[in-house]
Structure formats: structure tokens, C-alpha cells
Amino acid sequence: MTILGIDIGGSGVKGAPVDPATGELLAERFRVPTPQPADVDSVAAAVAEVAASFGGFDRVGVTFPGVVVDGVTRSAANVDKSWLDAPAAQIFAQRLGLPVTVLNDADAAGVAEVAFGAGRDQSGLIMMLTFGTGIGSALFSDGILIPNTEFGHVEIDGADAELLASDRIREAENLSWEQWAARVERYLHHVEMLLSPRLFVVGGGVSKKSEKFLPLIDIKTPIVPATLLNNAGLIGAAMAAHQASAGPGGQRPGAIPVNAAAAF
């Protein structure tokens, strides 16, 4: 089975067919700009444009930058408010004419990293954190995703952590790597206190520059950069779609529980 993975990001919507058994992209990615405003109709059209550039796939997995429960988008912190309570999986399925699975973007990236990347073969509690427009989180217990965590919104000094330590804030405030690393370290100490994970995996676009800030962070928990980089979301989305087709007996490390995303 060939699965199409599509990753909805703040600046672009990209996709590629994926082999869910290996995590390998089977063709070069195709990308279109994320519409502004990123309302339901505009984003659905962008997803359809990406899908139309490929053929031969059986199912589609799509990431969304917010909470997704049973295929419905329950939050819209960094996208248009028309996504609140939108039946996203159903909308995309009607556009594409195929079964579609939708899940949170950080969850998708974590699924890929746990299966094929920096979190592979790791037991216990693992947390993937993506630093970008906000801070996304994906939490795994012995390789199984606990979906829709929102640890980027924990409160530090009376405000969301992502207003302190996201990559967007680093750029907006023109912070040096040293200044930003100190903020990220403070945030990670807080998460460490709450969860005591065995490993942090740091993703998002800034992970490509991990050598500039990770060595500056001093915490007890081991911390490593993501290895799949910009492909993690679409790989994880494809894996989620494959998992939805496999049924409960098909779960494997890095897979999401079947009830965490809906396929239509």
C-alpha cells in the first residue's frame, strides 16, 4: 500500500507518497504556499493541489497545526478560526475521494521520529518538541503515542511557553542563540519537572541548526535533534493513515492508537 502524506505548515503545504514500512519518500516532495488567510476552503484547496501532483496512492494522511479528535479540529491557535470544530478528515476526504486520516502536526512528526528517527528503539517516556511558529509536543510511552498533548501552552511567567521560547519569538526579538538557548533550557526544566521523560527529541525547522543551541542547554534529560527534519510530518501522517487501515491488531512502535485519528 502506498500512502500519500501531506503536511500543513505555517508557510507551506507539502506532500509526497511514502512507504509506511520504511518511512522512505517514494517521490520528490511537492509544495505550495500556505494560503493566507489559512481558512478551511483555502487550505482544503491547497491540499487537493498537492494531492493532484501524485498518483497511485490508496489513502492519505494529513497533519494539522492543532488538536485533532476523531477527525475534527478542536483548536486553531495558529490558523484561521474557521478550523474550530471543523470536520477536517471528512472535508479532505470529500475533496480527494479517498480515505483520509488527520492528526496533529507535532504528533505526526513524533510518530515518524519514534519509528524511524531519533526516538527509534527507545523505551519509556519520550517527548518530541517542535520549535517553530509555536511549540508543538508529542508524547510517547514505550513507542505508543499519547495524542494531542499541548505542552507548548504550559504557563511560564503567566504566559504560554511558546511566547517565551518558540523559534518565531527568537526571530521576532532578534535573540542570539545563547539568549534563546537559555529560554529553551528554562522551558525544558519545567517540562522535565512535570514528566521526567527519558529523552527529548527537538524538531521543527530550527533543528537543522541544532549545533548552535543544543550544546548550550544543560538539563538532566538527554536531548537530541530530530533526524527526519522537514519530512517528519508527512512521513508520520502517512504512517497514521496506514495505521488507521490496519486496525487495532496492526499497532507497532511509533504508531498512534486507532481511536486517536479518524478515517472517512
Side-chain angles (χ1 to χ4, degrees):
M1 180 180 288
T2 299
I3 311 288
L4 181 66
I6 297 180
D7 188 14
I8 299 171
S11 61
V13 178
K14 56 184 179 289
V18 176
D19 181 347
T22 64
E24 293 181 7
L25 271 57
L26 301 177
E28 188 174 345
R29 296 184 313 176
F30 180 76
R31 181 185 184 277
V32 299
T34 300
Q36 299 300 328
D39 57 56
V40 170
D41 289 340
S42 298
V43 172
V47 166
E49 182 180 352
V50 171
S53 67
F54 302 102
F57 50 88
D58 308 286
R59 304 181 71 90
V60 183
V62 179
T63 75
F64 180 80
V67 172
V68 183
V69 179
D70 294 331
V72 177
T73 49
R74 297 297 191 189
S75 69
N78 296 308
V79 292
D80 189 81
K81 300 307 179 187
S82 62
W83 282 104
L84 283 173
D85 297 322
Q90 186 173 10
I91 290 167
F92 293 136
Q94 289 173 346
R95 285 273 188 154
L96 303 180
L98 288 169
V100 176
T101 299
V102 183
L103 75 163
N104 171 265
D105 54 356
D107 283 349
V111 165
E113 287 290 339
V114 166
F116 303 116
R120 187 173 186 175
D121 298 326
Q122 298 288 331
S123 62
L125 203 64
I126 298 172
M127 174 165 275
M128 170 100 176
L129 292 166
T130 58
F131 291 85
T133 303
I135 300 175
S137 63
L139 189 63
F140 296 82
S141 178
D142 290 330
I144 300 299
L145 173 67
I146 302 168
N148 290 313
T149 58
E150 289 286 318
F151 283 96
H153 297 295
V154 297
E155 186 176 305
I156 296 179
D157 292 339
D160 275 5
E162 62 182 27
L163 297 178
L164 172 79
S166 67
D167 192 43
R168 175 178 62 87
I169 291 298
R170 178 185 68 83
E171 293 179 346
E173 298 185 12
N174 196 28
L175 299 174
S176 68
W177 289 109
E178 290 78 9
Q179 291 171 319
W180 187 65
R183 293 189 180 195
V184 173
E185 178 179 307
R186 185 179 178 198
Y187 166 65
L188 292 176
H189 272 306
H190 189 71
V191 177
E192 224 178 16
M193 178 269 295
L194 294 173
L195 295 174
S196 300
R198 291 191 179 181
L199 179 71
F200 284 119
V201 180
V202 172
V206 75
S207 64
K208 292 183 289 188
K209 302 174 183 178
S210 61
E211 75 283 354
K212 295 183 180 292
F213 65 93
L214 282 190
L216 304 175
I217 295 174
D218 183 18
I219 59 175
K220 294 179 180 179
T221 305
I223 180 170
V224 296
T227 60
L228 301 176
L229 303 177
N230 288 337
N231 292 334
L234 61 89
I235 292 171
M239 291 181 64
H242 182 59
Q243 179 68 34
S245 71
Q251 288 187 2
R252 56 195 174 280
I256 65 168
V258 172
N259 63 358
F264 290 83

